[in-house]
């Protein structure tokens, strides 16, 4: 049985890999990509998504919907210092690559209707589009079968500030709305999970370089900018929280430990803006999310490497 799926993304680096997971995993029925302001310039993100469709030879098959170009109430903050252009300098001929006219928020609501309770969403950027969808139609939360959110840290350090992870920092009001809305949520946090179990070191990156398919070459290029950044801040490789989020939806057996938490987002303080308070049972708060605490890291790595080993024939030259 296939899983009807939307990926809500700020497409750069690991977002590209997450889209590949949605495109190439047999169980996934990727019905749309919705774009949200986040990692790099909005139009650049759209081009990165088209290049990802191209390398998977799915150009023209999966629609891209443009969503919010700004967070709900705050100015956009980018992560261009981390990601560069988000695609390692790759480029292609974009003629005829047009996003849909329908707004991403309307597309999310329509696709939830069409899937009749079966739609899953992997949200790997700031949660602006999803918050807007909930504001427009509060029942949207109960229409979505499963929402996987990459964001926050589970009682551990942030990345854009000491307290906050990037996706929640950029639009904390949106994150708060989404966690209050009643979705069935699984959270893939930045720390400790991603930092401990979803980092690909130089040894793994060499194995990927050795695969030498268009997909593997694409992976190496899009991850190149963040590898330099990550190593400069003491992370021993490239980080893969977004592709892990897509993977745990489609391969839930990769989750080896998780627990129920109450997740709430700080919006009042500048110092701790976007901090995710992940409260476990002892605090007596009603759970609103399952937080992934541990994965089968070797299984995740194998899952991605097997995917990158698939042969595709990209219709447009990417200069790989
Ligand atoms: O903090 C990690 C998140 O922000 C991921 O979604 C990644 O794409 C990023 O920049
Ligand atoms: Ca992302």
């Amino acid at each position: 049985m296939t899983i009807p799926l939307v990926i809500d993304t700020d497409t750069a680096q690991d977002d590209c890999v997450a889209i590949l997971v949605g495109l190439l995993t047999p169980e996934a029925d990727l019905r749309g990509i919705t774009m949200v302001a986040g990692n790099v310039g909005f139009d650049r993100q759209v081009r990165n998504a088209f290049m990802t469709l191209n390398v998977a030879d799915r150009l023209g098959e999966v629609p891209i919907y443009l969503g919010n170009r700004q967070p709900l109430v705050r100015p956009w903050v980018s992560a261009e210092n981390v990601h560069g252009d988000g695609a390692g300098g790759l480029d292609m001929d974009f003629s005829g690559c047009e996003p849909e006219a329908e707004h991403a928020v309307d597309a999310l609501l329509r696709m939830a209707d069409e899937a009749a309770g079966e739609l899953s969403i992997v949200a790997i950027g700031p949660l602006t589009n999803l918050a807007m969808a909930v504001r427009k139609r509060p029942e949207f939360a109960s229409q979505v079968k499963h929402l996987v959110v990459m964001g926050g840290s589970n009682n551990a350090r942030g990345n854009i500030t000491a307290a906050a992870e990037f996706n929640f920092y950029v639009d904390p009001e949106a994150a708060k709305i989404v966690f209050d809305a009643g979705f069935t949520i699984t959270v893939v946090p930045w720390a400790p999970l991603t930092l401990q179990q979803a980092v690909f070191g130089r040894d793994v990156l060499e194995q990927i370089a050795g695969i030498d398919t268009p997909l593997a070459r694409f992976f190496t290029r899009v991850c190149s900018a963040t590898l330099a950044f990550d190593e400069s801040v003491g992370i021993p490789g490239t980080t893969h929280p977004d592709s892990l989020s897509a993977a745990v939806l489609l391969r839930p057996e990769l989750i080896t430990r998780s627990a129920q938490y109450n997740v709430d987002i700080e919006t009042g303080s500048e110092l701790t803006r976007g901090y995710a308070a992940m409260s476990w049972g002892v605090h007596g708060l009603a759970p609103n999310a399952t937080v992934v605490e541990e994965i089968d890291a070797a299984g995740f790595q194998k899952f991605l490497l097997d995917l990158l080993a698939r042969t595709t024939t990209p219709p447009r030259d990417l200069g790989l």
Side-chain angles (χ1 to χ4, degrees), residues 9-12 14-15 39 83 124-126 150 166-167 242:
T9 166
D10 54 341
T11 314
D14 195 39
D15 290 77
N39 281 326
H83 296 283
I124 52 178
M150 190 284 125
F166 177 78
N167 290 339
D242 296 338

Side-chain angles (χ1 to χ4, degrees), residues 155-209:
N155 296 287
R157 62 172 61 185
N159 50 18
I160 189 163
T161 67
E165 176 281 330
F166 177 78
N167 290 339
F168 289 178
Y169 177 87
V170 172
D171 200 341
E173 286 77 15
K176 192 174 182 64
I177 288 169
V178 167
F179 279 91
D180 285 347
F183 287 100
T184 300
I185 300 180
T186 296
V187 179
V188 172
W190 173 256
L193 182 75
T194 299
L195 290 180
Q196 287 182 355
Q197 296 202 277
V199 174
F200 288 2
R202 292 254 170 194
D203 51 339
V204 180
L205 298 173
E206 270 168 33
Q207 271 185 60
I208 292 173

Side-chain angles (χ1 to χ4, degrees), residues 66-103:
L66 308 186
N68 291 281
R69 290 174 178 268
Q70 291 286 333
L72 291 185
V73 292
R74 301 176 191 249
W76 167 56
V77 177
S78 88
E80 282 157 317
N81 62 318
V82 178
H83 296 283
D85 66 3
L90 287 177
D91 210 352
M92 71 174 201
D93 170 14
F94 291 98
S95 56
C97 293
E98 295 296 339
E100 304 301 303
E102 187 179 25
H103 192 278

Side-chain angles (χ1 to χ4, degrees), residues 90 208-209 212-222 308 320:
L90 287 177
I208 292 173
D212 203 29
T213 58
L215 291 167
R217 290 197 290 273
F218 179 81
F219 176 98
T220 299
R221 282 292 291 274
V222 300
L308 297 174
L320 286 168

